[in-house]
Amino acid sequence: MVDDSKALFLQIAERVEDSIVDGSLAEDSQAPSTNELAAFYRINPATAAKGISLLVDKGVLHKRRGIGMFVAPGARRALIAERRAAFATNYLDPLAAEAHKLGLDVDELTQLLRERFTERTKA
Amino acid sequence: MTRISNVVRLQLVNRQAYIFVPLIVLGGAVLIGFLVFLLVPYGGPKYAIGATAAPLWSFVVVGIQALTLSFPFSQALGVTRRDFHLGTVLTAALTSAMLALIYLAIALLEKATGGWGMRGYFALSGLDGDAPLAALASYFTLAMLCFLSGYWCAAIFKRWGTVVLLTVLVGVSVAVVAAALLVIRFGAWDAVVGWLVSQGVLGLSAWGLVLAAGLTASSYATLRRVTQ
Amino acid sequence: MTSVIEVEHLTKRYGAATALDDVSLSLAENTVHGLLGRNGAGKTTLMSILTAQNFPTSGTVRVFGEDPYENARVLGRLCFVRENQKYPDHFKPVHAFRAASYWYPNWDQRLAERLVSDFQLPTDRLIKKLSRGQLSAVGIILGMAARPDVTFFDEPYLGLDAVARQVFYDRLLEDYSDHPRTIVLSSHLIDEVANLLERVIVLDKGRVVMDAAADDVRGLAVSVVGDAAAVAAFATGREVLRRQSLGNVTSAVVKGRVSEADRARLAGSGVEVTPVSLQQLIVSSADGGLDQGGGVGAVAGSRRGDASVARARNGGAR
């Protein structure tokens, strides 16, 4: 569940972002509290708090005094834009490297991608 | 003061070591004493002083375990060595006093009943007509000395180990034997016995308490640097 | 962050053996610290000196700014149940808990009872008759329910099964969330506790070899496996904690972060990059770690790798 390569608080922030991107955590709804995150991911509450404050700094969450953290309006759109920008580096570069190693050319790769997409839409 | 009384409470959370075990030993020994009085077909006064001495031995064990087991536990709870020591010696004093009172009750009872109607005696004071205070003081002092000798030996053992403890014990024995030899050598035996008799039970108890105070102080000095 | 314990140049010798060697560190208020290291690394000795149960050969210890020795004001705010803690002979767990409740004003009897049922601890059995795991549970319950300002847990999981250990970690996090305090968790099961920690202190043979924020330790090193030349190229200018070769394949644990560009280049040359867990990192950093699993043609990497990991503490300043 937890990956050793990255600081835990970054991973916690990403998990919360994931929920916002996939819509399970709607805009204007209340985000999980530090203690809930700590208990759920079995991590130190200070680490969870650090992840949350990162999202506050990014403008993804905002604090309502005395109530808790809420998802900012427009957060989903912003996160999707950010992830699209990083998509090529994070996913396409390794894909291209591996394809190159295996001797797959662009057409073969495109064909494979098309098949996968069709399967996904069927499922 | 609260901290010291907390140590007493800690020592008595489980009353077994300080109270029930000595009482059970005493009760058992007295019962056996009664049987002996009944079964021995002797018309004169019968003495079973060992029965009332038996619980004193359990105090040696209590003293040892106070240092080897209760002390480490108190350390886990952040109790200072001083508070532990004072509270523990106070607990021993309280329970020694309890045993001394029971001993006194036995002495008075057997005196009143003519040796339980069987001319059988458990308490020394029952026979020689000593004052109740002397019975109380002597028994209290013996109980404290038993406890403190266990506690003192355990402190030395915990701090310096077996070799040092054995050396100290051998040293004490040699000193006692040497003193006895000197007394014999100079033919002072009568003088010593005379002095002992002149002190009486109360006087000897007072000397015993001086020794107990010495053991308490030296145990504390040792305990201050004991590690686990 | 306020520090509650300050240790300077602490050394402890037993005859010729050195249990602690010039240890300097500070423990922060309301923080969970991991005191990690192999058995015999000096963890218990350190904790026993911090709680004045043992004495330094040289160096100073300050707890809440004071010398803890015979200092009731300081000691009353600490609880340190040893892994091999002794209890009075006739004690049952219930007696130990009651005794602790006299000493700790924050003692939470309800928490104690809840933990008793979580651990299925028989409170009416003599402590000396308990199993290893049940004995550990008694220590855990004392340390948690007492809620002192600083709690030391000394390998608290010994004899506990996986479920019970998880119960401990969960309850500790939960209670710590509600009642923040300083916790020192000594452990050699490093991966198991890694996520609970904010600060990581690693002892090896009595020396501090790492003292860093847990976040900074994560990703401090990577394991790279693949073509020897590509690995060597990547490792140039970086610190290699451990290196093994088999034929033309090299496996190395290399310090430093991997940029996206590095990652792409390594992927391009077929080198597999995997994160190094805290446990692997410590095993690689400790001198002893280099002797483990040395296969054919194993080459010891930087023997003094541990000294440089200690420098990570500067990067971890909070």
Side-chain angles (χ1 to χ4, degrees):
Chain A
M1 187 161 74
V2 176
D3 162 7
D4 283 312
S5 64
K6 262 190 244 178
L8 264 180
F9 73 95
L10 288 176
Q11 298 183 48
I12 295 308
E14 277 173 19
R15 296 298 163 89
V16 176
E17 286 182 355
D18 280 343
S19 317
I20 296 172
V21 168
D22 71 19
S24 57
L25 189 58
E27 290 178 0
D28 282 324
S29 68
Q30 187 166 7
S33 73
T34 299
N35 288 354
E36 282 167 351
L37 287 170
F40 185 78
Y41 290 109
R42 293 180 158 146
I43 56 165
N44 191 289
T47 312
K50 215 166 148 188
I52 292 287
S53 72
L54 181 77
L55 293 177
V56 172
D57 293 345
K58 266 177 85 172
V60 173
L61 299 182
H62 63 92
K63 192 175 196 167
R64 285 190 199 156
R65 288 241 297 216
I67 314 178
M69 293 295 175
F70 285 78
V71 181
R76 180 161 187 263
R77 181 196 292 264
L79 286 172
I80 288 176
E82 181 191 307
R83 290 200 173 192
R84 281 192 177 164
F87 183 72
T89 342
N90 289 351
Y91 296 92
L92 296 187
D93 290 352
L95 179 80
E98 181 70 8
H100 182 73
K101 195 163 43 168
L102 300 178
L104 293 166
D105 65 22
V106 178
D107 293 336
E108 285 168 306
L109 195 57
T110 320
Q111 178 58 28
L112 278 171
L113 265 178
R114 191 164 289 128
E115 282 167 21
R116 291 294 147 137
F117 257 91
T118 330
E119 269 172 38
R120 255 194 110 76
T121 30
K122 263 191 251 163
Chain B
M1 200 54 217
T2 322
R3 296 200 308 267
I4 294 166
S5 71
N6 272 344
V7 173
V8 177
R9 289 169 81 198
L10 183 153
Q11 294 284 15
L12 297 178
V13 159
N14 182 327
R15 288 167 193 77
Q16 205 146 336
Y18 283 89
I19 299 181
F20 294 142
V21 169
L23 286 185
I24 289 165
V25 171
L26 179 61
V30 165
L31 274 182
I32 293 169
F34 277 138
L35 277 180
V36 173
F37 295 153
L38 278 174
L39 297 178
V40 174
Y42 170 64
K46 292 163 287 213
Y47 304 112
I49 310 301
T52 38
L56 295 178
W57 293 110
S58 73
F59 259 47
V60 178
V61 179
V62 173
I64 292 171
Q65 292 188 340
L67 218 131
T68 56
L69 299 174
S70 305
F71 172 65
F73 179 62
S74 77
Q75 290 263 286
L77 304 183
V79 180
T80 64
R81 292 153 195 266
R82 175 184 167 275
D83 292 340
F84 172 81
H85 175 76
L86 292 176
T88 300
V89 172
L90 182 58
T91 311
L94 289 172
T95 48
S96 294
M98 173 200 79
L99 279 183
L101 281 170
I102 292 172
Y103 179 79
L104 175 65
I106 289 173
L108 293 176
L109 264 177
E110 65 190 12
K111 208 167 181 182
T113 57
W116 318 97
M118 299 178 281
R119 303 192 71 194
Y121 298 94
F122 294 108
L124 271 174
S125 54
L127 62 137
D128 64 5
D130 254 344
L133 184 62
L136 209 58
S138 61
Y139 202 83
F140 173 79
T141 306
L142 282 173
M144 281 306 279
L145 284 175
C146 283
F147 176 88
L148 287 168
S149 56
Y151 186 74
W152 183 75
C153 288
I156 292 172
F157 170 73
K158 286 283 278 184
R159 176 144 169 207
W160 289 294
T162 322
V163 175
V164 172
L165 175 60
L166 285 178
T167 311
V168 168
L169 290 180
V170 167
V172 170
S173 312
V174 166
V176 169
V177 170
L181 285 177
L182 279 179
V183 167
I184 292 168
R185 171 74 180 73
F186 291 103
W189 204 237
D190 287 345
V192 170
V193 171
W195 181 80
L196 286 175
V197 170
S198 76
Q199 294 297 308
V201 177
L202 267 180
L204 290 177
S205 298
W207 285 111
L209 287 178
V210 170
L211 176 60
L215 286 175
T216 304
S218 117
S219 301
Y220 177 55
T222 311
L223 177 68
R224 280 177 60 82
R225 300 294 289 184
V226 164
T227 57
Q228 296 171 52
Chain C
M1 193 165 280
T2 326
S3 81
V4 290
I5 297 184
E6 295 280 354
V7 176
E8 277 169 26
H9 305 295
L10 175 64
T11 294
K12 175 68 180 178
R13 288 197 194 88
Y14 293 102
T18 303
L20 293 173
D21 188 0
D22 195 29
V23 167
S24 295
L25 47 84
S26 78
L27 302 183
E29 189 181 32
N30 298 344
T31 301
V32 183
H33 302 78
L35 183 58
L36 311 177
R38 303 174 61 181
N39 291 331
K43 306 189 293 286
T44 304
T45 306
L46 176 59
M47 292 188 288
S48 67
I49 292 175
L50 298 185
T51 52
Q53 296 189 21
N54 203 336
F55 307 102
T57 306
S58 62
T60 57
V61 169
R62 284 277 174 280
V63 182
F64 304 112
E66 298 180 48
D67 181 354
Y69 179 61
E70 288 298 83
N71 189 333
R73 212 169 34 243
V74 168
L75 293 179
R77 299 169 70 182
L78 312 178
C79 178
F80 169 39
V81 179
R82 286 163 182 263
E83 168 261 300
N84 60 350
Q85 180 62 49
K86 294 195 176 88
Y87 297 91
D89 204 38
H90 299 285
F91 263 35
K92 296 169 179 176
V94 60
H95 298 123
F97 301 152
R98 203 175 301 148
S101 74
Y102 301 151
W103 289 94
Y104 293 103
N106 296 335
W107 177 265
D108 185 336
Q109 185 59 26
R110 283 182 56 193
L111 175 62
E113 280 162 16
R114 181 167 168 219
L115 292 166
V116 161
S117 83
D118 283 341
F119 288 117
Q120 298 170 9
L121 178 69
T123 50
D124 211 32
R125 192 178 300 169
L126 287 174
I127 291 181
K128 61 183 173 186
K129 299 257 163 87
L130 296 180
S131 72
R132 177 64 251 195
Q134 291 166 334
L135 193 60
S136 294
V138 173
I140 288 173
I141 296 171
L142 283 173
M144 280 186 61
R147 276 201 203 118
D149 292 330
V150 185
T151 312
F152 298 86
F153 289 107
D154 184 16
E155 310 258 359
Y157 44 69
L158 292 183
L160 293 178
D161 60 27
V163 175
R165 292 206 298 274
Q166 200 57 62
V167 164
F168 166 54
Y169 302 138
D170 286 351
R171 293 286 174 271
L172 182 64
L173 274 185
E174 200 178 291
D175 200 59
Y176 170 75
S177 300
D178 297 338
H179 306 274
R181 52 197 190 267
T182 302
I183 287 169
V184 178
L185 184 57
S186 116
S187 176
H188 66 259
L189 297 180
I190 296 166
D191 280 345
E192 205 169 281
V193 300
N195 293 345
L196 309 181
L197 310 176
E198 283 170 82
R199 188 111 201 134
V200 176
I201 299 163
V202 182
L203 285 183
D204 184 51
K205 300 193 182 94
R207 297 186 69 94
V208 176
V209 295
M210 184 191 289
D211 181 357
D215 273 336
D216 296 332
V217 175
R218 208 170 280 276
L220 200 64
V222 287
S223 159
V224 284
V225 181
D227 176 62
V231 170
F234 171 71
T236 308
R238 293 171 199 258
E239 191 175 344
V240 179
L241 296 177
R242 175 190 176 113
R243 190 203 307 259
Q244 277 175 258
S245 296
L246 182 59
N248 63 344
V249 174
T250 296
S251 156
V253 174
V254 180
K255 266 192 69 183
R257 300 193 184 267
V258 186
S259 66
E260 289 304 328
D262 287 330
R263 211 171 276 280
R265 199 174 315 121
L266 287 166
S269 37
V271 175
E272 194 185 333
V273 183
T274 46
V276 170
S277 73
L278 187 56
Q279 177 142 346
Q280 284 173 293
L281 179 64
I282 289 165
V283 167
S284 304
S285 307
D287 276 348
L290 293 165
D291 303 326
Q292 293 178 1
V296 182
V299 178
S302 139
R303 273 255 160 207
R304 297 307 317 161
D306 49 354
S308 58
V309 179
R311 264 180 254 129
R313 86 173 73 161
N314 301 324
R318 355 184 354 138

